[in-house]
Amino acid sequence: FPLSGSRLAQPEVAVRAGDPVMPYAPPEGRERAAWCRECVEIAARGLATRMAHIHAGAAVLGVSGGLDSALALIIIKRAFDILKLDDAGIHAFSLPALGSSEKTGCNALRLIKSLGLTPRVIDLKESVLRHFEDIGHDAQDFSVVYENAQARERTQVLMDLANHYGGLMVGTGDLSELALGFATFGGDHLCMYGVNAGLYKSAIRLIIRQAVLDAGPSEMRDTLTDILETPISPELLPGTDGGIRQQTEDILGPYLLNDFFLHHFLTAQASPRTLLELTADAFGGEYGKDEVVSRMRAFFTRFFNSQFKRGCMPDGPQVLEVSLSPRGFFLLPSDA
């Protein structure tokens, strides 16, 4: 399998025997708590290194009220502490569009404020609708055009804001989304530095849970708890009464299972037959054989179909022992 063995620097966080369902993380307790904090530290130091190298004094982030942008904001805050930069250089924006829910929008603003930052909102609804007019798309046609136009509009606005403030637009996409191609090409697929690109979605859940424990009684703790309890969603289709219409795990399957496949596939190039056996051992009777095979088929189909997105993915820190970066760890033709 075309995995490159050459890496400029070995990651600090290695695989440790722990929960068989999450083989990349140590068992629950003090060791896992330290592991979660270390993951944040590695990502923050990666971002700090990039900012120092290009003399950037500002960072721009779109905060959705979901897990990934919550962690990205925490990482940015730590990077600014490392560089001893004024937090005024952190520009966090809520960018509601046609599919955004009231719940996540409120959580985005609460989280930004809880970190001592100034919450700002740029409503993209009118600009997206104008774009539909320009390209002749019916605003009642909820096709991929409807969804992707919102993601690309957000990216354009954030990129331009980064230029305006003389800084970096920080991306939120994680390792699981990169593996499954669950990102809009030219939209959230792009950024100037992707701080979550080295972390599975299930790992991000663990890290946010630890951030809740570390925060103690506070607005930040309450907001992060609510974010953890909110279904993961791209929020690109309008819901009923401002609610969440799309749930990502209904589309892709459980992230815990996808991340399990991905981890063993990347670390040991495990075959589907081996993955079936490993899944049965780790998850017990939680998933039947037919369901696992079905989920695995969907996983591998999406994985190989999405290599063209990873071939031009932005830089990001390698936090765990795996990466999908085409510039050192994972080499694969786009049409394999």
Side-chain angles (χ1 to χ4, degrees):
F1 194 80
L3 287 173
S4 170
S6 62
R7 278 179 282 175
L8 294 178
Q10 293 295 322
E12 296 296 326
V13 176
V15 172
R16 301 160 187 171
D19 187 337
V21 170
M22 294 180 284
Y24 46 84
E28 210 167 339
R30 294 176 64 182
E31 190 178 359
R32 179 177 290 181
W35 179 87
C36 289
R37 298 182 193 114
E38 190 179 3
C39 287
V40 172
E41 189 69 14
I42 292 170
R45 289 189 178 275
L47 175 59
T49 299
R50 175 57 53 86
M51 291 183 67
H53 182 70
I54 65 172
H55 309 291
V60 172
L61 179 71
V63 183
S64 68
L67 289 169
D68 288 348
S69 62
L71 180 58
L73 189 57
I74 291 170
I75 290 169
I76 292 171
K77 183 74 165 61
R78 175 60 188 144
F80 270 63
D81 290 343
I82 292 168
L83 293 170
K84 296 181 171 55
L85 291 174
D86 189 332
D87 285 350
I90 302 175
H91 304 280
F93 290 84
S94 171
L95 302 166
L98 302 174
S100 302
S101 70
E102 183 178 346
K103 176 182 175 66
T104 54
C106 288
N107 277 340
L109 298 178
R110 287 174 63 200
L111 181 62
I112 295 168
K113 189 175 180 180
S114 73
L115 286 168
L117 307 173
T118 302
R120 282 168 279 192
V121 179
I122 299 178
D123 194 318
L124 301 182
K125 296 183 186 70
E126 291 303 318
S127 59
V128 172
L129 290 172
R130 172 59 188 271
H131 177 61
F132 287 162
E133 290 181 16
D134 291 342
I135 66 173
H137 180 75
D138 183 354
Q140 296 305 309
D141 176 3
F142 299 147
S143 65
V144 67
V145 176
Y146 186 94
E147 297 190 47
N148 286 353
Q150 297 172 74
R152 293 192 178 107
E153 182 69 13
R154 283 195 179 99
T155 297
Q156 174 183 271
V157 169
L158 291 168
M159 289 274 190
D160 291 345
L161 284 167
N163 292 157
H164 175 73
Y165 291 115
L168 285 176
M169 175 224 172
V170 177
T172 63
D174 60 56
L175 188 60
S176 306
E177 292 175 341
L178 289 168
L180 296 166
F182 205 67
T184 296
F185 195 85
D188 51 312
H189 156 254
L190 295 179
C191 63
M192 296 171 182
Y193 194 78
V195 292
N196 293 336
L199 290 165
Y200 304 116
K201 181 80 78 178
S202 50
I204 289 175
R205 277 177 167 148
L206 294 181
I207 295 166
I208 295 294
R209 286 194 188 103
Q210 186 58 49
V212 168
L213 295 175
D214 290 343
S218 63
E219 179 73 6
M220 179 180 174
R221 183 192 67 177
D222 295 342
T223 306
L224 290 176
T225 299
D226 201 19
I227 289 172
L228 278 169
E229 294 172 353
T230 302
I232 298 170
S233 172
E235 291 200 318
L236 296 173
L237 293 177
T240 304
D241 297 325
I244 295 174
R245 176 173 176 175
Q246 296 167 293
Q247 294 197 23
T248 304
E249 290 182 295
D250 289 344
I251 302 169
L252 303 177
Y255 269 117
L256 201 58
L257 196 57
N258 283 315
D259 291 348
F260 184 86
F261 297 154
L262 179 60
H263 182 78
H264 287 291
F265 181 55
L266 290 180
T267 57
Q269 293 84 64
S271 68
R273 185 180 300 277
T274 299
L275 282 174
L276 184 62
E277 295 170 355
L278 290 169
T279 304
D281 289 341
F283 289 87
E286 186 173 351
Y287 301 104
K289 178 181 177 181
D290 289 346
E291 183 178 1
V292 174
V293 171
S294 176
R295 295 295 188 191
M296 203 187 305
R297 182 178 290 112
F299 168 83
F300 278 112
T301 299
R302 294 192 69 103
F303 183 86
F304 282 98
N305 285 351
S306 302
Q307 178 60 20
F308 77 99
K309 295 183 182 181
R310 297 187 291 267
C312 55
M313 61 183 275
D315 281 342
Q318 183 178 328
V319 179
L320 306 177
E321 67 164 345
V322 297
S323 169
L324 287 174
S325 171
R327 292 176 292 277
F329 188 93
F330 189 82
L331 306 180
L332 179 73
S334 293
D335 302 315

